[in-house]
Amino acid sequence: MFKWEKTDFAKSSVIAPNQRLGWGKTISLGLQHIVAMFGATFIVPILTGFSPATTLFFSGIGTALFLLITKNKLPSYLGSSFAFIAPITAAKSGGGVGDALFGIVIVGALLAIIGIVVQKAGVKWIDLVMPPVVTGAIVALIGFNLAPTAWQKFSEFPITGFVTLISIIIIGRVFKNNMLGRLSILLGVIIGYILAVFRGEVDFTTINQASWFGLPQFTTPTINFSVIIMFLPVLVALIAENVGHVKSVSTMTGQNLDHLMGKALFAGGISTILAGFGGGSGTTTYAENIGVMAATKVYSTAAYWVAAAGALILSLCPKFGALIATIPNGVLGGATTLLYGMIGLLGVQIWLENKVDFKD
């Protein structure tokens, strides 16, 4: 069983993947990761007509598998990939949910194969195809491309969004060197949620109607090779997102994690295959959780195990899931504005640290 080295912020300003804080603090940080991923992970099944509970279930399973395959050396949360929205919608319109799930399975299988090739042949060919100027752009675009999504949510309830955003910033700055500062996102969301309740922006109807326990709805794929062509572009996006994730974590931790690139791609592929076989959307390393790491300087994989367990619990408890789902878009918009911005700036940091010459 993997053991983490227990430490605290007094000894180090950065908590490495193989380290952890006390379990109380680790659980709090894990909850913060759940808050960060929840909105986007739920948006994909809502937009594609998939079951949110099923998607969340495989998101938790996928995260646990990712941590196991990478031997707890690469912190990551696997949530619903936005890249699947268009092909899933197209496949469903021409056939059904089963056809879309088959496309997801194929993409996952191809990604896993590429991961095996990378692990055997090394990452040099990826470095040639995706040098710092490219990976920096990918990371920056992952963040900045999501800006319209954040603004759309923010603009629905701008006062709540502004208070949430400002709360996160103030808490993060005032308590920069202690635990409260590390939990700035979670605390900011709580403050925004309380304000939203007083402003009448939270609807509790779904909580009363939901049961306490329920298994997700599982659906199997239908073999239809004609849908493969529309899903192939997703493969390119998933490779870019996984490579960008590894590069981002390497930059933030100061460790060269390129040797885990193949395992990360393989883990992402296996997770996506399982999701496709069970009725969940395809998964990918999550930008929102990169933002949480950037904000907290905590890269402990222990916090991600908490997030994975939390996702599974949420998927099996419709009432609790309904409670989290009541977080209004204003609150999510305020939080994601900060997270997406920090992700975008990480891409710029990759350029600066690698001294990219844009005259070339």
Side-chain angles (χ1 to χ4, degrees), residues 131-134 351 354-360:
V133 65
V134 176
W351 289 334
N354 289 276
K355 299 179 181 179
V356 173
D357 182 9
F358 286 99
K359 293 179 182 178
D360 185 354

Side-chain angles (χ1 to χ4, degrees), residues 116-335:
I116 294 173
V117 172
V118 170
Q119 198 63 29
K120 296 293 183 181
V123 298
K124 289 186 178 180
W125 65 277
I126 290 185
D127 289 334
L128 292 174
V129 177
M130 307 183 78
V133 65
V134 176
T135 55
I138 290 170
V139 175
L141 287 172
I142 287 173
F144 294 143
N145 262 348
L146 292 170
T149 304
W151 173 245
Q152 183 180 10
K153 296 180 183 298
F154 191 104
S155 60
E156 287 189 30
F157 303 104
I159 295 177
T160 302
F162 180 77
V163 170
T164 302
L165 175 60
I166 292 299
S167 297
I168 295 172
I169 294 172
I170 292 176
I171 293 172
R173 296 302 300 174
V174 173
F175 301 101
K176 182 178 180 180
N177 297 317
N178 62 38
M179 191 62 193
L180 286 179
R182 308 285 176 158
L183 296 174
S184 59
I185 300 169
L186 179 60
L187 294 175
V189 167
I190 291 174
I191 291 172
Y193 187 84
I194 293 173
L195 175 64
V197 171
F198 280 107
R199 288 177 56 83
E201 297 169 354
V202 181
D203 182 6
F204 294 104
T205 305
T206 55
I207 299 177
N208 298 325
Q209 296 175 343
S211 59
W212 282 103
F213 177 80
L215 292 173
Q217 178 184 354
F218 298 112
T219 307
T220 56
T222 302
I223 297 177
N224 184 355
F225 291 99
S226 65
V227 303
I228 294 178
I229 189 66
M230 65 180 70
F231 278 87
L232 286 180
V234 177
L235 182 62
V236 178
L238 294 183
I239 293 172
E241 287 172 348
N242 278 274
V243 170
H245 178 82
V246 175
K247 295 292 185 181
S248 294
V249 177
S250 295
T251 299
M252 290 187 292
T253 61
Q255 302 176 9
N256 186 348
L257 300 173
D258 283 0
H259 62 286
L260 295 173
M261 195 83 72
K263 289 184 178 180
L265 292 166
F266 178 76
I270 295 298
S271 174
T272 296
I273 290 172
L274 288 177
F277 270 118
S281 182
T283 61
T284 188
T285 49
Y286 238 37
E288 286 84 347
N289 298 89
I290 297 176
V292 171
M293 287 191 288
T296 62
K297 300 296 187 294
V298 177
Y299 311 106
S300 172
T301 54
Y304 280 95
W305 277 105
V306 173
L312 288 174
I313 292 172
L314 285 173
S315 71
L316 298 174
C317 181
K319 189 173 286 291
F320 188 55
L323 172 63
I324 301 299
T326 61
I327 298 176
N329 281 342
V331 176
L332 294 174

Side-chain angles (χ1 to χ4, degrees), residues 79-93:
S80 305
S81 173
F82 279 63
F84 281 100
I85 294 176
I88 286 176
T89 303
K92 285 183 63 180
S93 64

